[in-house]
Amino acid sequence: DQQVKQNSPSLSVQEGRISILNCDYTNSMFDYFLWYKKYPAEGPTFLISISSIKDKNEDGRFTVFLNKSAKHLSLHIVPSQPGDSAVYFCAASASVNDMRFGAGTRLTVKP
Amino acid sequence: NAGVMQNPRHLVRRRGQEARLRCSPMKGHSHVYWYRQLPEEGLKFMVYLQKENIIDESGMPKERFSAEFPKEGPSILRIQQVVRGDSAAYFCASSPSTGLPYNSPLHFGNGTRLTVT
């Protein structure tokens, strides 16, 4: 029962360009959405979040967009840097013990 | 600046043995969560604990798996009679005790990679 889906397992972009990572969810009870970043051999680290009362949240180079009607969110990274190369997990929750993660998208930023 | 500490980082067990995974939450955090990541899959919730209490274990397999978070010491995820399908990365996360839990991003440890041979 995959309630959070990241349909692109990988994404490759050129340094300086925009990276767009997508995430879809099915559970309309989700009201809080997060993106985590994971480097190899490390745990996921929190990157940015958005609550369902907003449609955009920006933090430096990172912006998360939420489209509730489409049950879709995306993470924009601009400009992309080689150090952004990692696996990005989308997560959604209605309560902390109901936080569901997507399968992740591996981003490669080429210099 | 101690984050969430998990040990061991790597654990190899033969089929039928027991695996014990330990997790010390961040200082000041009293909520602990265990997640499992199978190859090519996302993180799957297993169990949510507070000190001396299991709050939600709906993601735990019904048999062979147990978790505890005693008053003193780390949280332990215990897998008895391991099988090859238990091979995965097990991540522990913690969150503060104040505020709305689901608005507090989880802080993850670096995980324990369990390999069952």
Side-chain angles (χ1 to χ4, degrees):
Chain A
D1 174 14
Q2 268 205 294
Q3 298 189 27
V4 178
K5 294 182 183 179
Q6 293 177 256
N7 291 319
S8 298
S10 63
L11 175 68
S12 181
V13 300
Q14 207 66 37
E15 181 179 6
R17 306 294 285 266
I18 185 171
S19 297
I20 300 176
L21 296 96
N22 293 302
C23 178
D24 298 290
Y25 62 96
T26 57
N27 189 342
S28 57
M29 297 299 292
F30 289 143
D31 60 1
Y32 195 62
F33 305 90
L34 309 93
W35 285 93
Y36 283 82
K37 177 179 178 179
K38 184 182 181 304
Y39 292 117
E42 293 184 12
T45 54
F46 169 71
L47 188 59
I48 193 169
S49 64
I50 188 168
S51 78
S52 59
I53 61 173
K54 292 186 171 183
D55 54 18
K56 177 183 175 182
N57 188 25
E58 192 173 350
D59 183 2
R61 296 185 297 113
F62 302 91
T63 304
V64 56
F65 295 92
L66 176 63
N67 182 335
K68 287 189 292 293
S69 60
K71 295 191 176 65
H72 177 85
L73 67 155
S74 60
L75 174 68
H76 292 211
I77 307 173
V78 57
S80 302
Q81 299 173 353
D84 297 329
S85 298
V87 176
Y88 290 79
F89 289 99
C90 168
S93 73
S95 66
V96 68
N97 47 323
D98 194 30
M99 188 174 290
R100 303 296 177 107
F101 285 81
T105 296
R106 182 178 300 278
L107 173 66
T108 302
V109 180
K110 297 179 179 178
Chain B
N1 183 21
V4 178
M5 303 299 292
Q6 288 188 251
N7 65 83
R9 289 298 307 275
H10 300 276
L11 182 60
V12 180
R13 285 288 178 266
R14 287 196 293 272
R15 277 179 299 169
Q17 291 185 317
E18 178 180 285
R20 280 183 178 242
L21 289 66
R22 286 176 290 277
C23 169
S24 296
M26 283 182 70
K27 187 176 180 181
H29 287 191
S30 59
H31 299 227
V32 165
Y33 316 85
W34 286 94
Y35 284 81
R36 175 165 66 173
Q37 185 184 19
L38 295 168
E40 307 303 321
E41 293 188 19
L43 296 159
K44 296 277 174 65
F45 167 77
M46 297 182 75
V47 62
Y48 164 37
L49 311 105
Q50 294 179 16
K51 287 279 188 184
E52 300 184 280
N53 277 310
I54 296 175
I55 307 302
D56 182 347
E57 56 182 348
S58 59
M60 290 272 272
K62 294 285 185 280
E63 298 176 351
R64 303 187 297 108
F65 284 72
S66 63
E68 63 176 9
F69 189 16
K71 187 177 179 182
E72 301 291 337
S75 176
I76 306 285
L77 178 67
R78 183 182 177 208
I79 312 172
Q80 295 177 290
Q81 298 174 318
V82 295
V83 300
R84 288 223 172 103
D86 297 332
S87 295
Y90 292 82
F91 291 95
C92 170
S94 71
S95 73
S97 59
T98 57
L100 290 173
Y102 75 99
N103 281 335
S104 301
L106 299 179
H107 298 264
F108 283 87
N110 285 334
T112 294
R113 184 164 297 280
L114 172 65
T115 303
V116 179
T117 61

